[in-house]
Amino acid sequence: MSTSPDRREILGWLREENPRRLEELWRRADATRREYVGDAVHLRGLVEISNHCVRQCAYCGLRADHRELIRYRMTAEEILAAAREAVSLGYGTVVLQGGEDPGLTSTGITDIIRQIKAETPLAVTLSLGERSETELAAWRTAGADRYLLRFETSDRALFDAIHPPLGRQPCDRIALLRRLKALGYETGSGIMVGLPGQTYTSVADDILLFRDLDLDMIGIGPFIPHPTTPLGNSIPPESITDQIPNSEITVYKAVALTRLVRPDANIPATTALATINKHNGRELGLQRGANVFMPNLTPVKYRQLYEIYPAKACISETGATCGGCLATRIASIGRRVGRGTGGRRTPNGQGRYVLQDTGVL
Ligand code: SAM
Ligand code: SF4
């Protein structure tokens, strides 16, 4: 049984640069992952259903002000076809992700969820930004199982600077995560690592917040500058002496520490990680705490238009090619593809954890 690191220890590991000492962190994270969630790697088919967005996030290539970007919104039939492909490829979950797009209407998404749940055994995860409580409740009632909403950084001043509100009300993604939990969603969140102005200390606080929010899923990727965005070419202010880098190794440290503080969470080896190390970033993520992959099922004609950052991994592979490639990568490190929906393990009342590796939640 591993002990959860405290703030001082987390900060020490985030700053650690000695590769030999870091081996100890990788070993602890991998052992904790094996103990709590086993060797199964769950595959979540990602469908990027719309690149329209009303927001102006200073980091993201889909922001409304990126006027040159050609916008698309998938039809209900296209989304259902992608869900059927997820089933045929043996995936247990479909993730419907998009910009914050009012064109994805409450009833439109409700109908799609109902059809997927009626036709398939898939768990349905939504990641559609900050939607109203009424919409979130309706989608949960229609059968959506999970919701992903990264809080991006727990540094309130930094978040406000890079994630402007739509109206007068400030955004509070952390409060929204609590509401999602209360609605009965399995709730996922996460951060980018290496945002300009983001400190080692604030990332340590982010990791502790993962634990305090008792998140079911936690996605961590490097911040990758997009040249069309305000953060695209910005250099962190000189006053920030504690700036955390957006390097691959820093992301592994954050993933490993997250596994130690949230031992039974589902943690993906993210596409952003695969983008900065196309060769084996995903495998290293899986060996340093992660247990989930998110193969892309978005129709190829839309893929390159979902350009949240440049040179994204897996931009031209079909769903089938992507799934085959990931299965090979998983086998190459001695792990196995998980079956079923791969929901969070739940305590069975005797201090032990039960697998939800098969069956539907
Ligand atoms: N619109 C929804 C939202 O914001 O939650 C979901 C889609 S959004 C594109 C998904 C995630 O992409 C964000 O939560 C953010 O962490 C990540 N992202 C956006 N721009 C990024 C960048 N330049 N580098 C790395 N990750 C980025
Ligand atoms: Fe829109 Fe999400 Fe990108 Fe922000 S991160 S601009 S909400 S797609």
Side-chain angles (χ1 to χ4, degrees), residues 52-57 59-64 98-100 129-130 152 163 173 306 308:
H52 289 265
C53 191
V54 290
R55 293 227 169 238
Q56 298 290 6
C57 302
Y59 41 86
C60 179
L62 304 190
R63 65 199 303 270
E100 218 168 288
E130 294 158 58
E152 318 292 3
H163 188 90
R173 284 192 163 203
Y306 200 82
I308 53 186

Side-chain angles (χ1 to χ4, degrees), residues 61-319:
L62 304 190
R63 65 199 303 270
D65 263 3
H66 187 188
R67 309 235 179 258
E68 290 75 39
L69 182 66
I70 297 166
R71 305 281 173 168
Y72 72 88
R73 186 177 300 119
M74 287 172 65
T75 63
E77 203 33 64
E78 286 174 322
I79 297 170
L80 282 167
R84 289 183 200 116
E85 191 177 9
V87 176
S88 72
L89 292 169
Y91 304 164
T93 300
V94 71
V95 182
L96 308 184
Q97 195 191 73
E100 218 168 288
D101 173 11
L104 298 173
T105 61
S106 179
T107 49
I109 295 295
T110 301
D111 288 347
I112 288 164
I113 296 165
R114 283 215 183 100
Q115 287 190 64
I116 295 175
K117 296 304 279 189
E119 259 191 53
T120 78
L122 294 168
V124 173
T125 303
L126 303 176
S127 179
L128 302 173
E130 294 158 58
R131 304 292 300 233
S132 75
E133 185 130 10
T134 316
E135 291 169 318
L136 296 170
W139 297 340
R140 175 76 189 125
T141 305
D145 302 280
R146 308 177 184 140
Y147 205 95
L148 297 177
L149 185 77
R150 291 185 176 184
F151 60 75
E152 318 292 3
T153 169
S154 59
D155 176 335
R156 185 74 230 189
L158 178 60
F159 181 75
D160 288 345
I162 63 175
H163 188 90
L166 276 181
R168 283 161 191 254
Q169 281 287 85
C171 300
D172 192 342
R173 284 192 163 203
I174 294 165
L176 194 46
L177 286 167
R178 293 202 170 95
R179 289 208 288 281
L180 286 164
K181 260 181 173 287
L183 287 169
Y185 282 99
E186 269 195 57
T187 304
S189 191
I191 57 166
M192 288 171 279
V193 173
L195 289 160
Q198 188 182 34
T199 63
Y200 281 96
T201 322
S202 78
V203 171
D205 289 338
D206 297 342
I207 292 169
L208 289 170
L209 187 57
F210 295 152
R211 183 183 63 196
D212 295 347
L213 290 171
D214 190 34
L215 294 169
D216 303 306
M217 303 159 288
I218 302 159
I220 299 169
F223 164 64
I224 303 174
H226 190 299
T228 66
T229 64
L231 290 190
N233 303 298
S234 77
I235 297 160
E238 281 171 19
S239 57
I240 305 286
T241 51
D242 196 28
Q243 171 71 44
I244 194 164
N246 62 346
S247 63
E248 187 184 344
I249 196 86
T250 316
V251 175
Y252 296 135
K253 291 179 202 173
V255 167
L257 290 161
T258 297
R259 174 59 68 198
L260 298 185
V261 302
R262 280 291 304 106
D264 66 335
N266 281 311
I267 301 178
T270 56
T271 307
L273 187 52
T275 297
I276 59 170
N277 176 354
K278 291 196 169 74
H279 173 57
N280 67 347
R282 273 183 282 228
E283 288 88 329
L284 287 173
L286 285 183
Q287 290 170 313
R288 294 170 177 180
N291 70 321
V292 168
F293 271 167
M294 294 174 72
N296 200 322
L297 286 180
T298 311
V300 172
K301 65 178 175 183
Y302 298 132
R303 290 260 185 108
Q304 61 195 356
L305 300 176
Y306 200 82
E307 199 198 48
I308 53 186
Y309 46 76
K312 213 165 126 204
C314 307
I315 206 85
S316 54
E317 288 86 348
T318 61

